[in-house]
Amino acid sequence: MSGLQIYAPRERALVGAADVVLRPLGWFRGDVTAPARSPSRVLLLRLERIGDLLMTLDAIALARRAWPGATIDLAVGSWNLPLAQLIPGIGTVRTVDVPWLARDGRGDAWSTLVGRARAWKEAGYDIVVNFEPDIRTNALAWLSGAPQRHGYWTGGGGALLTHALAFDPTSHVGVNATRLIRAAAGSSSATPDVESAARARLAVPPDATARARARLAGLGRPVVGVHVSGGRESKQWHLDRFAVVARQLAETRGAAIVLTGSDADRPMVAAVEARLDGVRVLNAAGTVDLVDLAGLLSELDVLVTSDTGPMHLAAAVGTPLVALFGPADPRRYGPIGSEAHVLRVDLPCSPCGQVRLPPERCRGHVPDCMDGIQVAAVVGAALALLDKSPRPTRAGAPALEMTYPLEIK
């Protein structure tokens, strides 16, 4: 089908063929233009990774304002359950581990997915909004039986929806998500203040904040976080450069360094820590869950990181950021809601968007788009954020400050 936004040619052809088969479903929608009654139950689908969920916080807040009398539930991958439970205004958080998004092959079988969707049908949702441009999750929305199903047709499966938009690849993920909620609200009796949703935040539990402060006690200020893992080979910066950045910030500003990462990241973090003798370092890799990581990030003065889930988590709690971007486009995936300096190299091939399956020439080593980011630029961006006074409060984030300024409207 013309217009499908699917990179792999074979997959695009398969989805296009499926759309042809599904097209007759669109003939039996009935009158979907007539305004619906004010919904009592709404389900939002956001089944992808940590950053994908956090980039839709504004859209979720907008949904809460659009349907103030409704119970708004959220379906996420189980890996995001702890964070989803911190989002204000959500009723029930449902978990669905779709196999094409779960790592290490831990996704649910299709029989399980169908059973979950049928349970949604029993819940009697009036509206289902699917933030994922994907034919498979559109199928789950269809199985929910909701009379209104909103999503994107550009990943296939538009006939499975009652209202389908084109995902705009030139706009931020968060912009697309809020646009989808506005379209859904326009087809029901939404309140007039739907246009005035405030910037969303994660609500870090007080006990997580207390544990973070206890861990940082005695380190002094400023405290700079360094997240050394890129999450994928295509987004990985040099470990020795991370170490040089940390050392220079320690020497020029007396900064203490907090190294973050998952349990699997421990060897990488240890390699950086080994280069920081004489520097005040807290190695937190593999020692905190997502909620405590949110608390720890919220107490940092600056975080230096590649384009990762922790980058979005830091933005969601208002921590100033230096974010290193390579194959992904920051205009689409940049941090939202935090003061941020985004650094990237302007190459003819970048951003290519091929994060999961990079070109052959970019495999097995730090790709050129990451290699071109120099230590001096990263240190300079971090110092600029440290020199800002007073430090931004968590209650009201400053305007976004990026290479590509983003305004999620």
Side-chain angles (χ1 to χ4, degrees):
M1 177 179 176
S2 175
L4 289 177
Q5 297 170 11
I6 300 173
Y7 176 76
R10 182 174 180 274
E11 182 181 352
R12 186 169 60 249
L14 288 172
V15 172
D19 271 354
V20 172
V21 174
L22 293 171
R23 191 173 299 159
L25 289 176
W27 303 341
F28 303 101
R29 288 175 180 160
D31 184 6
V32 297
T33 61
R37 63 180 175 85
S38 182
S40 61
R41 301 205 70 181
V42 176
L43 178 64
L44 309 177
L45 305 185
R46 196 48 165 151
L47 307 181
E48 296 190 65
R49 307 308 303 180
I50 292 173
D52 301 293
L53 172 63
L54 297 174
M55 285 187 286
T56 58
L57 287 180
D58 284 342
I60 294 170
L62 194 64
R64 177 71 280 164
R65 295 177 69 89
W67 301 297
T71 296
I72 297 181
D73 295 344
L74 177 64
V76 300
S78 61
W79 46 84
N80 272 333
L81 177 60
L83 295 182
Q85 291 172 329
L86 303 183
I87 300 175
I90 294 297
T92 299
V93 179
R94 300 177 179 271
T95 58
V96 186
D97 292 353
V98 293
W100 56 92
L101 295 174
R103 293 183 180 175
D104 304 322
R106 294 176 297 172
D108 296 326
W110 261 105
S111 58
T112 301
L113 298 179
V114 171
R116 297 280 172 85
R118 286 176 175 167
W120 301 344
K121 186 173 184 177
E122 293 172 3
Y125 289 108
D126 301 295
I127 295 176
V128 170
V129 179
N130 180 21
F131 290 120
E132 331 246 343
D134 191 293
I135 188 173
R136 295 162 292 191
T137 45
N138 283 345
L140 294 178
W142 178 73
L143 287 169
S144 74
Q148 284 199 40
R149 302 180 300 278
H150 297 259
Y152 305 106
W153 64 264
T154 41
L160 298 165
L161 305 169
T162 59
H163 301 76
L165 299 182
F167 186 94
D168 181 1
T170 67
S171 296
H172 196 277
V173 169
V175 172
N176 277 283
T178 55
R179 186 167 61 94
L180 190 58
I181 292 295
R182 286 196 173 92
S187 65
S188 64
S189 51
T191 54
D193 64 354
V194 65
E195 299 295 325
S196 60
R199 175 71 67 232
R201 284 285 182 274
L202 281 185
V204 180
D207 58 340
T209 301
R211 287 191 292 271
R213 290 175 178 173
R215 298 197 71 170
L216 298 176
L219 282 181
R221 290 286 176 180
V223 180
V224 175
V226 180
H227 189 81
V228 304
S229 173
R232 295 183 183 273
E233 183 184 47
S234 62
K235 298 190 290 185
Q236 184 61 53
W237 201 43
H238 299 278
L239 295 181
D240 58 341
R241 293 190 193 178
F242 274 120
V244 174
V245 167
R247 179 170 291 282
Q248 289 191 13
L249 293 174
E251 292 175 350
T252 59
R253 287 294 187 276
I257 305 300
V258 175
L259 299 174
T260 59
S262 67
D263 191 61
D265 297 333
R266 284 178 185 266
M268 301 174 70
V269 175
V272 172
E273 184 180 21
R275 293 177 169 91
L276 297 178
D277 56 295
V279 176
R280 287 170 295 143
V281 176
L282 170 64
N283 184 342
T287 66
V288 292
D289 60 20
L290 280 175
V291 175
D292 277 354
L293 178 60
L296 187 61
L297 294 175
S298 72
E299 293 299 309
L300 300 177
D301 293 290
V302 172
L303 176 68
V304 178
T305 177
S306 298
D307 166 28
T308 61
M311 175 196 75
H312 291 290
L313 184 54
V317 297
T319 300
L321 285 163
V322 178
L324 316 183
F325 269 74
D329 190 342
R331 290 170 294 189
R332 293 184 64 179
Y333 304 108
I336 302 171
S338 177
E339 191 169 25
H341 286 283
V342 171
L343 303 179
R344 62 173 295 270
V345 178
D346 190 16
L347 299 177
C349 58
S350 177
C352 66
Q354 299 181 53
V355 173
R356 298 179 182 179
L357 188 62
E360 186 67 35
R361 69 180 184 279
C362 298
R363 301 176 194 175
H365 60 90
V366 175
D368 292 345
C369 55
M370 295 298 295
D371 178 67
I373 300 174
Q374 300 301 309
V375 165
V378 179
V379 172
L383 290 176
L385 290 171
L386 288 174
D387 287 344
K388 285 183 176 291
S389 181
R391 184 184 178 205
T393 64
R394 297 300 175 233
L400 202 59
E401 183 177 328
M402 303 179 62
T403 304
Y404 297 101
L406 301 175
E407 182 95 21
I408 304 302
K409 293 182 177 179

